[in-house]
Amino acid sequence: MLKCGMIEVSITPPLGNSIPGYFKDRISNGIKDELYAKALVVESEQKTVVFIVVDAIDLARRDVERIRSRIQEGTGIPQEHIMVSATHTHTGPPVKEGFNSKVNEDYMVWLAQKAGDAGVLAYKGRKEARIGFGVGQEANIAFNRRFYMKDGSVTTNPGILNPQIDRPAGPIDPEVIVARIDDAATGEPIGVLTNYACHTDTVSGNEYSADFPGALSRTLKQVLGEKTVSLFMLGACGNINHIDVSGATPRDGRNHIRMGTILAGEVLKVREKITSLASELAIDVKQSFFDVEYRSPTDREVQLAELAEQNASTASDMELAFARQIRGIQAAGPGSTNVEIQSVRLGELGIVGLPAEIFVEFGLRIKSRSPFPITLINELCNGSARGYICVKEAYNQGGYEPRTTNNSKLATDAGDRFVEKAVELLHQFEQVPAK
């Protein structure tokens, strides 16, 4: 008999900490809404898997290892059966050194304990459950943020109603993937897993907020009950955000609420259409680790750094921040990092955990080649692999995402390697239901 457990644990830090995500260090001075670490445990007679999602911009490998270790100690579940990801909120805790923000190491120890505890508590609270999966569509709240301009160049976020915009430089992924998890005895909801691809950077400011996944959670609780846990996994959205350059979307400070509410509407519609709920489920996990080399700054990036340094009094904060990063990379020299690709099977659902902020094209490629009827891409998973993973042509086109920084410097073929390994892992699962 299938058993599931879900729980959410507050991880909101004290005020006065850095909020990573922008070029200036923002010091938190308020709480717009609480931040959480959320856990889902799914157990069959053969295997158990744990999903941990943290309201944070990212998590380093060491922090993922801390969380996995704590869960293993408290439950006996192997660490390779634990998937840890971040929602990527840009109004979250001090988990990462950015261009100017600072990590609070004491908080990071506490965060790992709390996130690990969430996994242990979800395991201890597991009950007989039924689970089903469905897919909806929402194409009006997410937009490719890279555009071809009329002069042939490519620009990231060129501005609302910019007359020089020609067309988007890429697609979006409108799929809203939903897992419905109900109590087998009562039929009451235990929780909902949602997957959607759009940057969680709609709030800004100096107050903590879980962004639109937080608004999604609050709306689902209003409909399904306060005990319902909403677990959000971020799709491949390195080049996708909420900015509608047509000007049709209001810019009134409520965008996270609007997006969360619209998404909740689609999630609820899909959830209610899921009538085939399984009391048994095939569960399996696959992993692959490999090294990816760092790329070196381009001649153009070095020139821009020199120019910013020469004009430090008039250069923008962004250009000065990029210049410091380029100098740091040059001083460090060549190198590489180890990355993890993880795949989980839950019946007819295939879940791919990818590190980094990966372009939507890669997620779509994995889905198109997956043997599963439904394939979920979960980015920023199991420890950062350093920033944006762009399609190869983007590195020649320019824009924000391909720029080399300390946190974004993997080789230009990294995305292609991620796709190949993810597809390979998905095809290793036995007796996958036909699409």
Side-chain angles (χ1 to χ4, degrees), residues 95-320:
V95 299
K96 178 181 179 181
E97 283 191 7
F99 289 100
N100 290 291
S101 58
K102 301 175 181 63
V103 176
N104 183 328
E105 295 294 350
D106 290 337
Y107 173 81
M108 294 310 301
V109 172
W110 181 82
L111 169 63
Q113 292 173 341
K114 296 293 283 186
D117 287 350
V120 174
L121 292 170
Y123 178 77
K124 291 181 179 296
R126 69 198 188 284
K127 60 184 71 173
E128 291 188 356
R130 301 176 70 205
I131 189 168
F133 310 102
V135 182
Q137 299 281 316
E138 176 47 61
N140 298 310
I141 60 173
F143 307 87
N144 198 296
R145 68 184 189 180
R146 291 172 58 81
F147 288 85
Y148 287 109
M149 309 302 284
K150 291 180 179 178
D151 63 3
S153 64
V154 173
T155 301
T156 302
N157 290 333
I160 295 171
L161 297 176
N162 185 335
Q164 298 306 311
I165 292 174
D166 183 18
R167 66 190 189 280
I172 67 165
D173 182 353
E175 282 195 336
V176 181
I177 297 176
V178 177
R180 173 177 180 169
I181 306 156
D182 291 353
D183 187 316
T186 67
E188 293 297 312
I190 295 174
V192 180
L193 184 158
T194 303
N195 174 241
Y196 188 66
C198 185
H199 244 78
T200 31
D201 183 18
T202 74
V203 177
S204 72
N206 292 63
E207 295 182 319
Y208 295 128
S209 173
D211 211 286
F212 69 83
L216 166 66
S217 175
R218 292 190 293 276
T219 304
L220 293 180
K221 285 177 180 289
Q222 289 172 2
V223 177
L224 300 175
E226 285 299 317
K227 292 183 179 180
T228 304
V229 177
S230 170
L231 192 86
F232 180 82
M233 292 183 178
L234 186 65
C237 64
N239 50 344
I240 307 296
N241 68 11
H242 65 287
I243 298 175
D244 181 1
V245 298
S246 76
T249 301
R251 302 274 291 175
D252 54 9
R254 294 186 68 258
N255 212 35
H256 65 296
I257 298 173
R258 183 179 300 106
M259 289 179 65
T261 304
I262 291 171
L263 202 54
E266 185 66 12
V267 169
L268 289 167
K269 182 176 73 173
V270 173
R271 180 189 178 276
E272 293 306 316
K273 290 181 178 180
I274 299 172
T275 56
S276 178
L277 296 170
S279 57
E280 295 182 0
L281 202 66
I283 298 175
D284 202 358
V285 181
K286 306 291 182 183
Q287 278 178 306
S288 179
F289 295 87
F290 55 92
D291 290 335
V292 180
E293 292 183 350
Y294 296 143
R295 65 181 187 271
S296 299
T298 64
D299 292 342
R300 177 60 177 162
E301 287 172 333
V302 173
Q303 292 171 0
L304 289 173
E306 293 172 348
L307 188 63
E309 291 167 343
Q310 293 168 5
N311 300 280
S313 60
T314 57
S316 67
D317 292 331
M318 180 178 73
E319 291 303 328
L320 289 171

Side-chain angles (χ1 to χ4, degrees), residues 13-165:
L15 304 184
N17 279 285
S18 287
I19 298 179
Y22 289 0
F23 291 97
K24 286 187 175 181
D25 187 15
R26 294 170 294 157
I27 303 301
S28 57
N29 60 18
I31 302 173
K32 193 178 294 290
D33 54 88
E34 295 287 337
L35 307 174
Y36 291 94
K38 301 184 181 184
L40 165 63
V41 173
V42 185
E43 178 185 78
S44 68
E45 291 184 2
Q46 290 78 31
K47 293 185 179 180
T48 304
V49 291
V50 183
F51 301 96
I52 302 292
V53 179
V54 178
D55 286 329
I57 196 166
D58 201 356
L59 289 174
R61 173 73 69 83
R62 60 153 198 186
D63 302 309
V64 170
E65 290 174 348
R66 289 171 177 172
I67 293 168
R68 283 173 161 169
S69 177
R70 191 169 180 86
I71 294 172
Q72 184 181 39
E73 290 172 1
T75 66
I77 297 170
Q79 292 192 32
E80 60 267 25
H81 285 211
I82 302 167
M83 178 179 284
V84 182
S85 59
T87 64
H88 199 50
T89 176
H90 283 55
T91 40
V95 299
K96 178 181 179 181
E97 283 191 7
F99 289 100
N100 290 291
S101 58
K102 301 175 181 63
V103 176
N104 183 328
E105 295 294 350
D106 290 337
Y107 173 81
M108 294 310 301
V109 172
W110 181 82
L111 169 63
Q113 292 173 341
K114 296 293 283 186
D117 287 350
V120 174
L121 292 170
Y123 178 77
K124 291 181 179 296
R126 69 198 188 284
K127 60 184 71 173
E128 291 188 356
R130 301 176 70 205
I131 189 168
F133 310 102
V135 182
Q137 299 281 316
E138 176 47 61
N140 298 310
I141 60 173
F143 307 87
N144 198 296
R145 68 184 189 180
R146 291 172 58 81
F147 288 85
Y148 287 109
M149 309 302 284
K150 291 180 179 178
D151 63 3
S153 64
V154 173
T155 301
T156 302
N157 290 333
I160 295 171
L161 297 176
N162 185 335
Q164 298 306 311
I165 292 174

